[in-house]
Amino acid sequence: MRQDFAIPPDVVALCDYARLAQERLPAMVSAWLDGGAGDGVTHAANLAGWDRIRLAGAVLADMRGASTGLSLFGLALDHPVLLAPVAYHHLAHPEGESETALGAAATGAVMTLSTLASTRIEEFGSVAQGPWWFQLYAQARREDTENLIRRAEGAGARALVLTVDAPVKLRNTEERIGFRLPDGIGAVNTIGMAPPQVTAMPGRSAAFLGLLEAQPRWEDLAWIRAATRLPILLKGVTRPADAIRAIAAGIDGIIVSNHGGRALDGLPASAEILPRIAEATAGRVPLICDGGIRRGTDILKALALGAAAVMVGRPQIHALATGGASGVAHMVTILRAELEVAMALTGCNSLAAISRDVLWRD
């Protein structure tokens, strides 16, 4: 992989980072990062979903004192761009998640460290210069899950992001290229933890042969809620009924996400799911939207549909592979600048002023 992480001058949008990362990452890594589940229908729909929504411009608005600031789970943030959990940052940069954290801190973006990070929680916590969250995959044994929670708490995580929508996977892009992790890169935070017991059987999916035995259930959610005082965000919610049940169980926030189209192919786009979750939850907890965010106009649309903030996943790795920490910072800066322009041209001088009035109605 290319080791020169200078940002080319023609990088002005997230699509430029995606193009350069495709050129510079090994084909196997690109297949893992940019592929989706099945035929990639949901992955493509995430991007198209935001494009289908049109905006209503506004003129002569009073934009004095305009701001993109917000308060979220006790954090005063300069903007609503968060970094979603993504595994194995060392596939894109020799310093892995630690390098991403530098870029996030430089722009005031909250980063979410994955359970499947290629950097130890303790090491990450020691170098992170800004607030960060820990993404939790429940393990086969509760004692292993609790171990991850305690380590995240001890390292300084400010919230837990419990991801529940991807206990199994089927990604043909990875299968076709024979994806495997290179030597020396792996999920270092789960070493020594008991994996699900899977029984091999010809013609059968591993899902029904052991993987689902370790899948978290509603009673596990209640146990995790009782195991920590940190805010818990439930990531991977696509059904309004599940969002309502999660709030009743004490969840502090919902991340509306179809896992970037990497879990169940055929799910609606995040842009379609978000307004339904927002209507059902009626502002009881903050909503964060993940999936297909590539422009500041996408962020404006998400906020208009009920999100308090958004997460970006693949783009942070594209930027990391291209420009290291500077690339990550530049990527966030691009999105914030685009959001500011979109707010100005729709007459919104604060995030609170963004409503469905900015969306074009036929």
Side-chain angles (χ1 to χ4, degrees):
M1 185 181 72
R2 170 184 174 275
Q3 297 297 309
D4 174 16
F5 292 101
I7 304 171
D10 62 345
V11 175
V12 297
L14 269 59
C15 60
D16 297 319
Y17 276 118
R19 169 179 51 83
L20 290 173
Q22 184 74 28
E23 295 172 359
R24 297 170 183 184
L25 288 172
M28 189 173 291
V29 175
S30 290
W32 164 79
L33 175 61
D34 293 316
D39 293 315
V41 172
T42 297
H43 174 31
N46 274 346
L47 299 170
W50 300 114
D51 290 342
R52 281 194 297 268
I53 300 172
R54 293 176 292 168
L55 295 171
V59 298
L60 302 178
D62 185 354
M63 295 298 295
R64 288 173 293 185
S67 170
T68 59
L70 73 157
S71 177
L72 192 63
F73 301 110
L75 299 174
L77 304 178
D78 292 334
H79 56 78
V81 182
L82 316 176
L83 300 191
V86 181
Y88 314 126
H89 288 214
H90 274 89
L91 289 173
H93 193 282
E95 300 301 321
E97 288 81 2
S98 298
E99 186 78 1
T100 311
L102 293 176
T107 51
V110 174
M111 177 179 170
T112 311
L113 182 71
S114 172
T115 289
L116 302 181
S118 47
T119 301
R120 286 180 53 81
I121 297 170
E122 295 77 8
E123 178 185 348
F124 179 85
S126 70
V127 300
Q129 299 176 9
W132 58 280
W133 298 344
F134 180 70
Q135 179 260 346
L136 177 66
Y137 279 123
Q139 301 298 299
R141 300 182 306 192
R142 280 190 173 180
E143 55 263 40
D144 291 334
T145 301
E146 184 171 14
N147 175 264
L148 288 171
I149 293 172
R150 297 291 167 255
R151 291 171 63 193
E153 291 173 334
R158 301 292 293 271
L160 294 180
V161 174
L162 178 61
T163 300
V164 291
D165 63 342
V168 293
K169 66 176 183 178
L170 185 61
R171 299 176 191 157
N172 294 152
T173 306
E174 294 178 25
E175 292 178 317
R176 291 188 183 103
I177 205 167
F179 174 76
R180 63 177 182 82
L181 289 170
D183 292 341
I185 297 178
V188 296
N189 291 301
T190 60
I191 293 174
M193 296 186 180
Q197 298 300 311
V198 179
T199 303
M201 189 176 296
R204 295 287 304 280
S205 163
F208 282 6
L209 298 175
L211 285 179
L212 291 181
E213 296 301 314
Q215 179 184 10
R217 296 176 287 275
W218 286 104
E219 57 265 32
D220 296 299
L221 178 59
W223 174 80
I224 291 171
R225 174 65 285 172
T228 183
R229 294 184 179 180
L230 291 176
I232 298 177
L233 292 78
L234 195 66
K235 184 175 185 292
V237 178
T238 58
R239 287 190 183 186
D242 286 342
I244 293 170
R245 188 171 182 181
I247 293 171
I251 287 299
D252 301 287
I254 299 289
I255 300 178
V256 177
S257 172
N258 53 35
H259 214 86
R262 295 170 65 81
L264 175 61
D265 201 20
L267 287 172
S270 294
E272 299 174 85
I273 299 168
L274 174 59
R276 298 196 182 193
I277 301 291
E279 181 180 7
T281 56
R284 280 176 282 179
V285 299
L287 303 181
I288 296 172
C289 189
D290 166 83
I293 300 292
R294 298 294 185 272
R295 286 283 186 181
T297 47
D298 299 339
I299 301 172
L300 181 77
K301 294 169 186 178
L303 270 55
L305 292 174
V310 300
M311 280 185 161
V312 293
R314 291 178 177 93
Q316 65 179 286
I317 306 302
H318 295 153
L320 179 67
T322 303
S326 296
V328 174
H330 185 223
M331 181 270 299
V332 174
T333 300
I334 288 171
L335 285 175
R336 181 179 179 180
E338 290 179 347
L339 172 61
E340 291 174 349
V341 170
M343 289 172 62
L345 297 180
T346 54
C348 300
N349 65 3
S350 69
L351 300 188
I354 300 172
S355 70
R356 292 203 178 204
D357 289 342
V358 307
L359 306 180
W360 182 263
R361 300 175 185 176
D362 291 321

